[in-house]
Amino acid sequence: MTWTNILLGCLLCCSVKAQHTLTVAVNEPKATIQPTMWGVFFEDINFGADGGIYAELVKNRSFEFTKPLMGWTVKQRKFREGTILIMNKGRENINNPRFLRIKADHAQAGDLILSNEGFRGMGIKAGLRYDFSMMYRQESANLKLHVQLVDSTGRVIGETVITPSETGSGWHKAKASFTASETILKAKLNIWFEGNGVIDLDMISLFPSDTWKQRPGGLRADMVQCLADLKPGFIRFPGGCIVEGTDLSNRYQWKKTIGPVEERPLMMNRWNIEFAHRLTPDYFQSFGLGFFEYFQLAEDIGAEPLPILNCGMACQYNSAELASLADLDPYVQDALDLIEFANGDAATTWGKVRAEMGHPAPFHLKMLGVGNENWGPQYIERLQVFRAAIKSKYPDIKIVASSGTDPDGERFNLLNDSLRAMQIDLIDEHYYRKPDWFLANAKRYDNYPRNAIKIFAGEYAAQSDRGASPNNKNNWLTGLSEAAFMTGLERNADVVTMSSYAPLFAHTDGWQWAPDLIWVNNLQSFGTPDYYVQQMFSVNRGNTVVPVTMNGNAVAGQDSLYATAAIDSSNNEVIIKLVNVSGRPGRQNIVFHGTKKLAKTARMLVMQSDDLNAVNSFDEPEKIAPREVKVNMMQKQLPVLLPPYSFVVIRIKLGE
Ligand code: AHR
């Protein structure tokens, strides 16, 4: 069925709401929409980084998980004590101390097999090249390693043989590539040993060759593409609560995430233990996706980088551990050094580190978040110290500050008042609320002060069940209510200059938190209805808000209708976004003031479902996604029939 038919069908079979006239004043600019308006929030939650966008297929490649053989199994035909030992390098590499010592005794096929299960299996594609590598050390070269990808029955679907040749006391790297013969969602990696001898192994790694931009050791291309397709104005990283850590020792420290991957110390991911109902004991951070890679990702997808740093406070839901003000210096220094790492030239200490990692040009960092969801006077005290230090050295860097976990209440009010008194650049507001809240808050920013303090709607998502409940679904109700709310963000683009849905990614077998914008398994990814809502706003951003009114008022819930309009001067188009949250279709007659010339037809992108519980899935990834139709102008007016439960974006050329 075509969309025209659906629209006609609606007219014939459903009761239609009263007709409204909407007036778009194309010559009355109200606010500039910043390029940063619609961005993304990245956190290593739900296997977002390790097991997700970081394309490493081997779990626990360096044996540094709390249980050193987690993810690995060893099969020996004849058990011999000491065949496999977990050794510690000690001072030789305190960041990556453990390694595996294998003693093979005249081993042949099937005698001694080391197996890695991957992150809930390994997603393998037929015909694709896979790059295996490992660090090794041996006194004499007597062993062959047979590296095989196998399916659940043990059938080999790709293999290579490595004969490590270097000997002596130093560590060496061996590499081999091979092509997989089949596509398997949950393969595993076997290494069996042939020969008689002892070998030390570390950093056992397997990457697909089709990473984003084919970077060795890089990111999963389909997942990066999902981000690139959003055309995000910024990317906030690395979180989220992960910034805070369960305690200060578990906080995110960017300096430990750069340099050679084998020297980035592994750490337990805080989401490993956060939810008793979603325990994920094998969730650790390898930091293969570290701060250099985050900046590079931002650059690749044309997004402004927005790093968030720990402010000397651990998660207040967990330990609530505080660094005393007297001990805050290293935290503040991390912030100053980060700015130098991102922007300094190669003659500076940290700019040199960036240049040596392969990026001599600066990353053009313009803003920095201090603290994630922190609150209380302790937060304000620490923020003040950070702000003084950052502004005195880098006055142009904008500081993003937290307004806590909730968009209202005592905690929010204290922070909001204090941050405004401090004249902070951007206030980060979070709202994980029911769909009704989003509908009721489309006017939230209409009465916010119009001054230099801007809002970053830094984390939001409508919850179909309740905050962070595992029963939350990304259904059409959540997407539609977010769309309605987002019209209010755009209408108030002079106050809200940035916004991002959260969280971003979830692995279908490894998630802790729902809802999430994009769901993945080991091979595929799909966008939820909420994803397409974000995309519709972002790719149809425009640069200047103009009024769209009903009886002289902003359209923010009257007769279940929400609207915003903007001019896109690069195409000379007016863009109108309309949301109908009613189960009945609605006729709108759009009239345009301030222009005599309009194209005869308009492009209309429609997201719609009669079923508010409808969701996208791996089988039906675009069940709820935009479809394009054309609508004709009639005597300089645009008649639009909005289907029930629909979000519509209309683009029409001016001046033709
Ligand atoms: O988005 C998931 C979590 O929600 C974030 O880590 C945190 O900032 C918020 O509580």
Short mmCIF file of all heavy atoms in Angstrom, two decimals, residues 41 43 45 240-241 271 372-373 430 432 459 502-503 513, ligand 1:
data_model
loop_
_atom_site.label_atom_id
_atom_site.label_comp_id
_atom_site.label_asym_id
_atom_site.label_seq_id
_atom_site.Cartn_x
_atom_site.Cartn_y
_atom_site.Cartn_z
N PHE A 41 25.27 10.41 22.27
CA PHE A 41 25.86 10.14 23.58
C PHE A 41 26.43 8.73 23.55
O PHE A 41 25.68 7.77 23.40
CB PHE A 41 24.74 10.25 24.63
CG PHE A 41 25.02 9.57 25.94
CD1 PHE A 41 25.51 10.29 27.02
CD2 PHE A 41 24.77 8.21 26.11
CE1 PHE A 41 25.74 9.66 28.24
CE2 PHE A 41 25.00 7.59 27.33
CZ PHE A 41 25.49 8.31 28.39
N GLU A 43 28.42 5.67 25.41
CA GLU A 43 28.96 5.12 26.66
C GLU A 43 29.21 3.63 26.44
O GLU A 43 28.46 2.97 25.71
CB GLU A 43 27.96 5.32 27.81
CG GLU A 43 28.44 4.66 29.11
CD GLU A 43 27.68 5.10 30.35
OE1 GLU A 43 26.56 5.63 30.22
OE2 GLU A 43 28.21 4.89 31.46
N ILE A 45 28.29 0.90 27.66
CA ILE A 45 27.24 0.23 28.44
C ILE A 45 26.59 -0.72 27.44
O ILE A 45 26.66 -0.46 26.23
CB ILE A 45 26.24 1.28 29.00
CG1 ILE A 45 25.16 0.64 29.87
CG2 ILE A 45 25.60 2.10 27.92
CD1 ILE A 45 24.24 1.67 30.58
N GLY A 240 28.10 9.56 30.76
CA GLY A 240 27.62 8.40 31.45
C GLY A 240 28.37 8.10 32.77
O GLY A 240 29.37 8.68 33.14
N CYS A 241 27.70 7.20 33.49
CA CYS A 241 28.20 6.80 34.81
C CYS A 241 29.60 6.21 34.75
O CYS A 241 30.29 6.15 35.77
CB CYS A 241 27.26 5.78 35.43
SG CYS A 241 25.65 6.44 35.80
N TRP A 271 29.33 -1.40 34.62
CA TRP A 271 28.02 -2.02 34.34
C TRP A 271 28.06 -3.52 34.54
O TRP A 271 27.02 -4.19 34.50
CB TRP A 271 27.56 -1.64 32.93
CG TRP A 271 27.35 -0.16 32.82
CD1 TRP A 271 28.16 0.74 32.19
CD2 TRP A 271 26.29 0.61 33.42
NE1 TRP A 271 27.67 2.02 32.34
CE2 TRP A 271 26.52 1.97 33.09
CE3 TRP A 271 25.17 0.29 34.19
CZ2 TRP A 271 25.68 3.00 33.51
CZ3 TRP A 271 24.32 1.32 34.60
CH2 TRP A 271 24.59 2.65 34.26
N ASN A 372 29.69 13.87 35.49
CA ASN A 372 28.51 13.35 34.78
C ASN A 372 27.28 13.69 35.60
O ASN A 372 26.97 14.86 35.77
CB ASN A 372 28.65 11.84 34.53
CG ASN A 372 27.40 11.26 33.87
OD1 ASN A 372 26.90 11.84 32.93
ND2 ASN A 372 26.90 10.15 34.36
N GLU A 373 26.61 12.69 36.16
CA GLU A 373 25.41 13.00 36.95
C GLU A 373 25.82 13.23 38.40
O GLU A 373 25.47 12.46 39.28
CB GLU A 373 24.42 11.85 36.87
CG GLU A 373 23.52 11.93 35.68
CD GLU A 373 22.55 10.76 35.61
OE1 GLU A 373 22.72 9.77 36.33
OE2 GLU A 373 21.61 10.84 34.79
N HIS A 430 19.14 15.88 32.35
CA HIS A 430 18.83 14.49 31.99
C HIS A 430 17.37 14.18 32.31
O HIS A 430 16.89 14.54 33.39
CB HIS A 430 19.70 13.52 32.81
CG HIS A 430 21.15 13.61 32.46
ND1 HIS A 430 22.10 12.80 33.01
CD2 HIS A 430 21.82 14.42 31.60
CE1 HIS A 430 23.29 13.10 32.52
NE2 HIS A 430 23.15 14.10 31.67
N TYR A 432 14.93 10.73 32.06
CA TYR A 432 14.46 9.39 31.71
C TYR A 432 13.06 9.31 32.32
O TYR A 432 12.91 9.09 33.52
CB TYR A 432 15.37 8.32 32.32
CG TYR A 432 16.78 8.34 31.74
CD1 TYR A 432 17.83 8.98 32.40
CD2 TYR A 432 17.05 7.70 30.54
CE1 TYR A 432 19.11 8.98 31.87
CE2 TYR A 432 18.33 7.70 30.00
CZ TYR A 432 19.35 8.35 30.67
OH TYR A 432 20.61 8.36 30.15
N GLU A 459 20.98 13.69 28.19
CA GLU A 459 20.55 12.29 28.22
C GLU A 459 19.04 12.30 28.35
O GLU A 459 18.51 12.85 29.31
CB GLU A 459 21.14 11.55 29.42
CG GLU A 459 22.64 11.36 29.37
CD GLU A 459 23.15 10.51 30.55
OE1 GLU A 459 22.41 9.66 31.06
OE2 GLU A 459 24.29 10.75 30.95
N ALA A 502 19.87 8.85 25.10
CA ALA A 502 20.80 7.94 25.79
C ALA A 502 20.04 6.73 26.35
O ALA A 502 18.87 6.87 26.73
CB ALA A 502 21.50 8.67 26.94
N PRO A 503 20.73 5.57 26.48
CA PRO A 503 22.02 5.26 25.86
C PRO A 503 21.88 4.98 24.36
O PRO A 503 20.77 4.86 23.83
CB PRO A 503 22.49 4.01 26.58
CG PRO A 503 21.62 3.85 27.78
CD PRO A 503 20.33 4.53 27.45
N TRP A 513 20.90 -2.09 30.22
CA TRP A 513 19.97 -0.96 30.35
C TRP A 513 19.08 -0.88 29.12
O TRP A 513 19.57 -0.99 27.99
CB TRP A 513 20.80 0.32 30.48
CG TRP A 513 20.05 1.60 30.61
CD1 TRP A 513 19.21 2.17 29.67
CD2 TRP A 513 20.07 2.50 31.70
NE1 TRP A 513 18.72 3.36 30.13
CE2 TRP A 513 19.23 3.59 31.38
CE3 TRP A 513 20.73 2.51 32.94
CZ2 TRP A 513 19.02 4.67 32.24
CZ3 TRP A 513 20.52 3.59 33.78
CH2 TRP A 513 19.67 4.65 33.44
O1 AHR B 1 22.41 6.28 29.96
C1 AHR B 1 22.58 5.39 31.01
C2 AHR B 1 22.96 6.08 32.30
O2 AHR B 1 21.95 6.94 32.70
C3 AHR B 1 24.15 6.97 32.22
O3 AHR B 1 25.33 6.28 32.36
C4 AHR B 1 23.95 7.92 33.36
O4 AHR B 1 24.52 9.16 33.14
C5 AHR B 1 22.46 7.95 33.52
O5 AHR B 1 22.07 7.69 34.81
#
